[in-house]
Amino acid sequence: MKQAADSGSPSPQRQLTASPADEETRTHLVLGTLSVLGRIRQASNAVLFGEVEHEGRRVSCVYKPVAGERPLWDFPDGTLAQREVAAYEISRATGWDLIPATVLREGPYGQGMCQAWVGAPPGSDEDAAGAGAEDAEEAEGASDTEDAGDAEDADGTEEEGLEDLLAIVEGDEPGEGWKTVGHVDTGADRPALLVHADDERLRRLAVIDAVINNGDRKGGHLLPVPGGRLYAIDHGVTFHVDDKLRTLLWGWAGEPLTAEAAAALRGLSAALAGSTPLAARLSELITTTELDALRKRVDALCKSGRHPLPSGDWPAIPWPPV
């Protein structure tokens, strides 16, 4: 899916060149003047494309006002923005920085989630697909590397696209470098598998999703960008007290955690203990019961030393998967 908006190009101030996930970007999101430039279409909730301007720099962003959230049967009304911010805080605490900087702030349509945009702003010269106001149809999705199978970086190397991370392959084996998610019905007589790349970035994200209890990890939420970085978006249905883990990243289910992941989880457990700064911050975003459940999930992962298995009480794979 292509991130795109219904409006004109950003203003001429200098674009911030910092990483979407770092502290400088977060500071600009908190302190900058937020302007809405258009709406991201076909999203289930109100999702607006905009920019924040601070100290002569601008940061393209996604703004999701709480007032535009669609009620869900299993999550309290008006809490999705806070959950997105909490997911960013967990990502920062692991040191993996897989989620773009995300803050809770006031905007033109009230309080909402404001998150750094990943990739070139829609309509800009750098926008790989050149999406404009008339053809901007897709909801919150991918970075400027969409359709990257036909694109190249300046050094002549192919850019990475979603097809490098997720695929459907014929047969009963995933092939070298891929992990099986599950069997799929393609309408053909031959068996086929949904697979994802055996990629350390995805494996880290699978750990974060298990920690935050992500109920909706779809392929379109994975944003590979030039330079080898990967970011993930859309974390509104997270931190439920019940097991809601629903993801395309089941390839490591039941396998031992990496030494890196085990160390990150031990650090996260310590960072969540008592009234630590991270625990205090999260207590402003999720309920006490949800914070306790988060601690228990982290401790359970530390104790088991393995990636979780599907619970069987909830559909394991989101639909549609992309």
Side-chain angles (χ1 to χ4, degrees):
M1 285 182 287
K2 184 73 184 174
Q3 250 181 358
D6 296 344
S7 67
S9 299
S11 60
Q13 289 91 358
R14 292 184 61 194
Q15 182 75 35
L16 185 70
T17 57
S19 161
D22 71 12
E23 188 61 28
E24 182 182 3
T25 301
R26 180 185 178 279
T27 298
H28 282 267
L29 293 179
V30 171
L31 300 179
T33 300
L34 174 59
S35 301
V36 171
L37 302 178
R39 180 167 184 171
I40 301 174
R41 303 168 74 176
Q42 296 185 358
S44 57
N45 298 303
V47 182
L48 307 175
F49 171 74
E51 66 179 21
V52 293
E53 194 278 323
H54 180 242
E55 296 182 341
R57 301 291 184 92
R58 58 180 171 80
V59 179
S60 298
C61 63
V62 170
Y63 165 49
K64 299 181 183 180
V66 172
E69 292 180 4
R70 184 184 63 179
L72 299 173
W73 70 269
D74 52 347
F75 283 83
D77 293 350
T79 67
L80 304 189
Q82 292 92 324
R83 295 171 194 280
E84 296 231 40
V85 179
Y88 166 70
E89 295 289 347
I90 292 296
S91 173
R92 286 290 279 169
T94 64
W96 291 332
D97 286 345
L98 290 167
I99 299 176
T102 312
V103 303
L104 194 67
R105 58 161 294 165
E106 289 294 323
Y109 300 100
Q111 189 179 67
M113 180 278 277
C114 184
Q115 183 177 78
W117 180 274
V118 176
S124 69
D125 292 340
E126 295 81 11
D127 187 4
E134 290 76 20
D135 62 356
E137 295 292 337
E138 295 298 333
E140 30 177 348
S143 71
D144 59 329
T145 57
E146 182 76 13
D147 302 324
D150 300 323
E152 293 188 352
D153 288 323
D155 62 2
T157 60
E158 275 196 357
E159 294 180 3
E160 183 181 28
L162 186 58
E163 68 276 9
D164 298 305
L165 301 175
L166 294 168
I168 294 176
V169 298
E170 292 184 352
D172 292 313
E173 296 295 332
E176 185 176 358
W178 295 89
K179 304 288 287 185
T180 298
V181 180
H183 286 85
V184 294
D185 183 4
T186 62
D189 294 334
R190 294 184 296 273
L193 296 176
L194 176 63
V195 299
H196 64 68
D198 189 2
D199 185 297
E200 67 175 7
R201 300 166 302 172
L202 294 182
R203 191 163 191 173
R204 291 168 179 167
L205 186 59
V207 173
I208 289 178
D209 281 345
V211 167
I212 66 177
N213 197 15
N214 191 353
D216 193 33
R217 172 59 70 214
K218 295 178 180 177
H221 303 159
L222 307 175
L223 312 184
V225 299
R229 291 301 303 269
L230 175 74
Y231 297 100
I233 61 169
D234 204 348
H235 300 96
V237 288
T238 51
F239 297 99
H240 203 284
V241 295
D242 297 331
D243 185 355
K244 295 280 188 178
L245 186 57
R246 191 170 59 161
T247 176
L248 291 180
L249 303 180
W250 285 116
W252 298 282
E255 293 187 13
L257 297 166
T258 64
E260 176 196 47
L265 288 167
R266 290 193 297 271
L268 187 57
S269 179
L272 289 169
S275 56
T276 59
L278 178 60
R281 175 69 180 128
L282 291 174
S283 69
E284 300 172 353
L285 301 167
I286 59 178
T287 67
T288 300
T289 304
E290 290 167 341
L291 181 55
D292 288 341
L294 167 64
R295 291 184 174 116
K296 290 177 181 177
R297 285 193 299 272
V298 173
D299 291 342
L301 286 167
C302 289
K303 183 177 180 180
S304 73
R306 293 180 177 274
H307 289 269
L309 294 164
S311 68
D313 298 327
W314 183 255
I317 299 174
W319 189 263
V322 177

